[in-house]
Amino acid sequence: MSNTLNNDLKQQLVADFKATESRLNGEAKTEVHQKRREAMQRFEALGFPTIKHEEWKYSNVNNLVKQGFDFNVKSDFGTTEVEALEIPNLQGNVLYFVNGMYNAGLSHIVSPESQLQILNFGQAIKEKPELLASYFAHYANYKDEAFTALNTAFAHDGVVVNVPAGKVVEEPIILRFVTDSRTVNAASQPRNLIVVGKNAEVKIAEAFRTLGENSSFTNVVTEIVVEENANVQYYKVQNETEKAYHIGTTQVIQKDNSHFYAVTVTVNGGFVRNNLNIVLDGQNCEAFMYGLYFPNGKQHVDNHTLVDHAKPNSFSNELYKGILKDRSTGVFNGKIFVRDHASKTNAYQSCRNVMLSDDASMNTKPQLEIYNDDVKCSHGTTTGKLNDEALFYMRSRGIPKTEAVTLLMYAFCEDVISQIKIEPIREYLSGLIAEKLAQ
């Protein structure tokens, strides 16, 4: 039965692609659409992954693909709802996407165009075809990854960000993706391309929220190009509903002397899969990756990371932490590749988890593939329960058990929370996390 359901949704999407293609007119001849067509062919060949696929062994998408979703939901989401989602004291370039579509009326861009060029994906096809031809779908692997292929095939909405060489964008870029499933099961597939030129600097945050009691599905791909000597801070925050399915891929390519810094925080979401892939394709690159996740109930959070040291003299450091409650499940799969010519590589990876319930489960799989002897690499993972001695000490000082547990958990999270360098986002998330830990 599950195979039939898989095929039904697959065929629906293939039919949707053909219908969309028939309405494109001149755009059907562009390089962008040639990529889309190739990606759809790959999706047809791959189909949806099953638990027989090694990369999806612990994350079963059957419940997702057997549901019906509307990929073109119209929404009346407006200023009233925006006010409820605002983060106090957060200033910057704020772009709203409702069900995957850019909403200019709700967005505001404050940085001058000389510092920052922002276009929605449809505009970029017409106004910046050379930029898309140079970067779009060059790095995110649509040939082997079904959901990336699906997103690439339907890449019509999302944002293209270009930071010219030598520019420092003072204000952060906040991409707010809102899925409105108040009336039907809503789905979206935003595609983002961020190109940061030589010697440029920028801070970027992606935030995902869901409204409504129906199921939602977000399949997002973000490609980030970090040119020579560029510096990028990237934050991803997920606070979605129990019926939200989120599959996201962030694909990063770094050039010589570049610096990339990422923090991924999953506060809520029914089924979450985060793929963070970084290729250090230059010498003297640095990549930092931090993650935090708090599944409870029957929530499922899967973090897959890949760091590919493709050139010599590069450094990566990775720390992911999770707190699991109730019957929730977590997955961490971290891979470090060191190519045969990538000497003087330093790469470190750590995943630590605390289980607050006997019914919760955590699956970890750290991996190293090293083809050069002149490197320093390490990885490790721990999964356990609260420190009984610390808990006893706090309770002996008159702190109630619930408060003691919350304080210990917050302290466990602190070395990731402190890595969020945009202060209003850090303070806002600290409040959300404290609230969830106290539940």
Side-chain angles (χ1 to χ4, degrees):
M1 182 176 179
S2 61
N3 288 337
T4 303
L5 291 167
N6 265 283
N7 291 334
D8 285 348
L9 181 57
K10 178 181 169 184
Q11 294 309 315
Q12 174 201 330
L13 289 162
V14 171
D16 287 349
F17 178 83
K18 291 178 180 177
T20 301
E21 188 175 46
S22 68
R23 297 190 294 267
L24 289 179
N25 298 321
E27 189 181 320
K29 298 180 181 179
T30 63
E31 288 187 49
V32 167
H33 190 66
Q34 296 308 310
K35 291 282 189 182
R36 291 187 189 128
R37 186 177 290 137
E38 290 174 16
M40 178 48 69
Q41 291 171 352
R42 288 304 301 152
F43 174 70
E44 285 189 82
L46 292 168
F48 289 108
T50 70
I51 56 174
K52 293 181 180 179
H53 294 77
E54 184 62 29
E55 295 299 310
W56 293 86
K57 182 177 180 180
Y58 300 112
S59 294
N60 192 339
V61 299
N62 190 53
N63 287 337
L64 163 65
V65 301
K66 72 182 182 183
Q67 296 191 55
F69 290 96
D70 188 339
F71 284 80
N72 298 287
V73 177
K74 303 299 181 184
S75 169
D76 59 0
F77 179 88
T79 54
T80 302
E81 290 90 349
V82 165
E83 290 174 2
L85 298 182
E86 290 293 332
I87 296 175
N89 304 315
L90 180 61
Q91 304 295 320
N93 304 283
V94 182
L95 285 74
Y96 269 90
F97 300 82
V98 182
N99 291 338
M101 293 175 281
Y102 176 62
N103 189 316
L106 299 177
S107 306
H108 59 272
I109 299 171
V110 297
S111 295
E113 192 172 347
S114 59
Q115 275 187 15
L116 178 65
Q117 298 159 11
I118 296 179
L119 298 170
N120 68 48
F121 204 87
Q123 284 180 306
I125 292 173
K126 298 175 183 178
E127 299 176 24
K128 294 284 185 180
E130 71 288 347
L131 187 68
L132 290 181
S134 297
Y135 297 109
F136 169 68
H138 283 228
Y139 308 110
N141 180 13
Y142 66 85
K143 294 184 178 179
D144 299 308
E145 302 292 342
F147 285 101
T148 301
L150 186 60
N151 175 283
T152 304
F154 287 93
H156 296 278
D157 295 302
V159 68
V160 175
V161 174
N162 183 37
V163 181
K167 300 298 181 180
V168 176
V169 182
E170 301 291 343
E171 300 289 350
I173 303 168
I174 314 297
L175 308 179
R176 304 215 63 168
F177 297 91
V178 178
T179 302
D180 187 351
S181 61
R182 288 177 289 187
T183 57
V184 295
N185 289 356
S188 63
Q189 301 196 82
R191 180 61 173 249
N192 307 312
L193 172 62
I194 300 164
V195 180
V196 184
K198 294 180 180 180
N199 302 296
E201 294 184 21
V202 69
K203 302 180 185 71
I204 301 163
E206 293 181 333
F208 297 86
R209 290 291 294 270
T210 306
L211 303 178
E213 299 300 320
N214 294 296
S215 294
S216 66
F217 171 40
T218 301
N219 180 31
V220 58
V221 174
T222 298
E223 291 180 293
I224 303 176
V225 180
V226 189
E227 296 287 4
E228 293 177 24
N229 297 294
N231 190 316
V232 177
Q233 292 179 31
Y234 168 80
Y235 304 96
K236 182 175 183 178
V237 180
Q238 297 159 306
N239 189 15
E240 301 184 86
T241 67
E242 300 290 329
K243 293 185 178 180
Y245 295 86
H246 180 110
I247 295 174
T249 296
T250 303
Q251 181 70 50
V252 182
I253 182 82
Q254 291 186 240
K255 299 301 182 179
D256 288 348
N257 304 299
S258 62
H259 183 104
F260 182 78
Y261 189 96
V263 183
T264 303
V265 180
T266 304
V267 181
N268 281 300
F271 180 99
V272 176
R273 167 69 174 247
N274 291 316
N275 302 310
L276 176 56
N277 307 320
I278 302 177
V279 180
L280 288 82
D281 192 29
Q283 295 202 49
N284 303 307
C285 292
E286 292 187 347
F288 296 83
M289 306 151 71
Y290 298 93
L292 205 53
Y293 42 96
F294 309 90
N296 63 352
K298 295 183 179 179
Q299 294 177 356
H300 177 89
V301 179
D302 179 347
N303 284 292
H304 264 60
T305 66
L306 168 64
V307 183
D308 185 352
H309 288 265
K311 298 288 174 65
N313 302 301
S314 61
F315 173 85
S316 67
N317 190 22
E318 180 176 4
L319 173 63
Y320 272 67
K321 286 190 167 186
I323 298 174
L324 293 84
K325 297 172 66 175
D326 307 322
R327 298 178 63 190
S328 64
T329 56
V331 180
F332 175 80
N333 189 315
K335 294 181 181 179
I336 296 174
F337 285 114
V338 180
R339 303 296 175 177
D340 56 359
H341 49 278
S343 59
K344 307 297 182 183
T345 289
N346 288 348
Y348 306 99
Q349 178 193 96
S350 179
C351 177
R352 304 172 191 168
N353 303 282
V354 173
M355 315 298 284
L356 298 181
S357 166
D358 292 336
D359 295 323
S361 63
M362 183 71 203
N363 301 286
T364 59
K365 187 180 179 184
Q367 296 174 265
L368 294 176
E369 287 193 29
I370 302 172
Y371 299 97
N372 187 294
D373 293 332
D374 188 14
V375 300
K376 294 180 181 178
C377 298
S378 69
H379 67 107
T381 179
T382 59
T383 299
K385 296 187 176 182
L386 276 176
N387 186 318
D388 289 335
E389 289 185 9
L391 186 60
F392 175 79
Y393 176 84
M394 295 177 73
R395 294 191 68 189
S396 70
R397 294 300 185 271
I399 301 174
K401 181 178 179 181
T402 301
E403 289 184 26
V405 169
T406 301
L407 287 170
L408 285 173
M409 289 299 89
Y410 194 85
F412 176 77
C413 301
E414 179 60 26
D415 54 355
V416 175
I417 296 172
S418 63
Q419 302 300 328
I420 301 171
K421 298 179 181 180
I422 302 176
E423 186 175 349
I425 294 179
R426 184 176 67 247
E427 292 180 352
Y428 176 74
L429 279 176
S430 293
L432 281 181
I433 291 167
E435 182 180 324
K436 181 153 189 180
L437 292 176
Q439 290 177 356

